[in-house]
Each structure stands twice: as C-alpha cells, then as structure tokens.
Amino acid sequence: MKLIIGNKNYSSWSLRAWLAARASGVAFEEIRIPLFIPGSRERILAHSPSGKVPCLNDHGLAVWDSLAICEYLAERTPALWPADRAARAVARSVSAEMHSGFVALRQHMSMNIRKDYAGKGRTPEVEADIARITAIWNDCRARFGAGGAYLFGAFTAADAMYAPVCFRFKTYGVKPEGAAGAYLAAMLEHPWMREWEAAALAETESIPAEDLYG
Ligand SMILES: N[C@@H](CCC(=O)N[C@@H](CS)C(=O)NCC(=O)O)C(=O)O
C-alpha cells in the first residue's frame, strides 16, 4: 500500500489517514507531496482523482478522503473502531462531526505544528467550536474511555480524526481542563504523534497563506 500525504506541518487531513494507517498495522509506503508549489497539483492528481491528499493506493485501487480511508482500513482491521456497537456508533458520529464541521476552528486555527500562536484566532465562533470539542472529549472519555487513555479507551479512528485538533490546541495555546485536558496530553505524547511532529519540525517548506499570524 501507498499513502499519499501533504506537508506534515500543515496537512491535517493527511495526519488523520496516516494515523489510521499506523493504527491499522498495515505496511505502507509514504509518498509526501509538498502542497501549493509548482507541480504539486499534477503530482497529486497522478494518485488521487480528487486532486487532494490523503489518498491511499492499495495495489492500484485509489481510496481518497480521510474518512473513506479510515473505513477501508477498518474493513481489514476492525479494531480501528470500538468493538461495542454503541461506542462504535458514537465514534462514527464524532468522527463525522469532525469531518464535516468545526469550520471556524479550521479557518482561524489551521494546523501549523512549527508555530507558537498562543492566544491567536479565538473568535466567538472558534470558542464555540472549542467548547463543543471539549464536550465531545469529556463525554467520550467518561462514557467509553475506561479501557485506556483515548476517546474510546484504545486508540481508534476517532482519535485519528481529532489528532490535528490536538496539534492546533498546542499551537494556539488552548488548554482544556479535566478529562479533555488529560486526553490532549495523552495524544500529544503518543509515539505516532511525536513521530509526525518531529517530521513536521524538520520540514523546510512554508505555505505563507497557512502561516495565519506571521
Ligand atoms: N475531505 C478531504 C479533505 C482533503 C483536503 O482538503 N486536503 C488538502 C490538504 S490537507 C489538499 O489536498 N489540498 C490541496 C489542494 O486543494 O490543492 C479529506 O477528508 O481527505
């Protein structure tokens, strides 16, 4: 399998699929295509019909879009979703909510691992997104988290979907309290997150439009 991703510093959707691939245990080759430079679009289109990353290529079969990749990987590794039916339904709900929502957070607090933008981007709409995400994390931890440090205990696709928010909270100095704060700390310490973070810090390309606050 090949996983086509963008810059590790900026590409939040890529991080989701990459974590899902790591959690699934499949062996995969990573193809990193730096975004928004001459030739990027052609290089991505050679793999991904949407012209966007991430895209998984399983021996010629293209699977694009982060959530579709999670579902595809979960077919061979069911533990990517919680085993319990109710927990799995909630995991899918919060993952879909992330996939289709939190527009203000995505706009004003774009993922930018290398930067320290503490205090920036906190519009009323972003505050509402932060409050909703904090409520989701607290609720999942309280109802389903007993078996481990992550939203549903063990690491699942839902954690992969919220992983970029964890890096955003670090960059923008958002510090949730209680169970949500402990979850954030556990995610930022996870070895796969640290591996991705180290690679992001080592990247040299910058995308000025994504460096929102200088
Ligand atoms: N809904 C898609 C979003 C994918 C997406 O927007 N990817 C961005 C990078 S994070 C991209 O490929 N941008 C390049 C472009 O638009 O040319 C998913 O979940 O995978």
Side-chain angles (χ1 to χ4, degrees):
M1 285 209 203
K2 294 178 183 153
L3 182 68
I4 296 88
I5 59 172
N7 313 54
K8 290 188 171 174
N9 187 56
Y10 297 106
S11 185
S12 60
W13 297 110
S14 298
L15 168 60
R16 294 175 171 102
W18 185 87
L19 284 171
R22 292 299 293 267
S24 78
V26 291
F28 67 96
E29 178 193 346
E30 183 183 303
I31 299 178
R32 197 187 72 97
I33 301 179
L35 303 175
F36 303 118
I37 58 173
S40 313
R41 185 159 175 78
E42 294 72 23
R43 286 187 68 197
I44 295 171
L45 277 169
H47 300 279
S48 174
S50 66
K52 293 191 185 298
V53 290
C55 183
L56 186 72
N57 186 305
D58 186 4
H59 299 89
L61 172 67
V63 184
W64 63 97
D65 194 293
S66 55
L67 205 45
I69 293 168
C70 288
E71 293 291 4
Y72 184 74
L73 292 168
E75 286 188 19
R76 52 193 295 163
T77 309
L80 256 188
W81 292 115
D84 174 72
R85 185 181 64 86
R88 195 164 60 250
V90 175
R92 284 201 162 106
S93 296
V94 299
S95 296
E97 186 173 347
M98 178 73 248
H99 192 250
S100 62
F102 304 118
V103 175
L105 184 98
R106 299 215 298 247
Q107 183 182 349
H108 298 288
M109 290 188 173
S110 64
M111 193 174 87
N112 200 327
I113 292 170
R114 289 199 301 262
K115 295 286 187 183
D116 178 354
Y117 286 150
K120 306 277 188 201
R122 298 187 77 139
T123 68
E125 295 78 13
V126 171
E127 294 289 0
D129 282 351
I130 291 170
R132 173 65 191 144
I133 289 166
T134 303
I136 288 171
W137 289 359
N138 281 328
D139 181 57
C140 291
R141 290 291 305 139
R143 288 164 69 199
F144 305 109
Y150 304 102
L151 291 178
F152 295 86
F155 192 99
T156 67
D159 301 297
M161 292 304 290
Y162 280 86
V165 171
C166 298
F167 281 136
R168 287 177 165 118
F169 280 10
K170 184 175 183 192
T171 294
Y172 296 86
V174 180
K175 295 181 169 51
E177 293 176 353
Y183 169 68
L184 174 62
M187 282 291 286
L188 291 173
E189 282 164 17
H190 193 292
W192 299 329
M193 291 285 277
R194 299 194 70 144
E195 183 181 328
W196 180 278
E197 182 180 34
L201 294 175
E203 286 179 347
T204 53
E205 314 97 6
S206 59
I207 303 175
E210 294 289 320
D211 292 340
L212 297 180
Y213 306 100

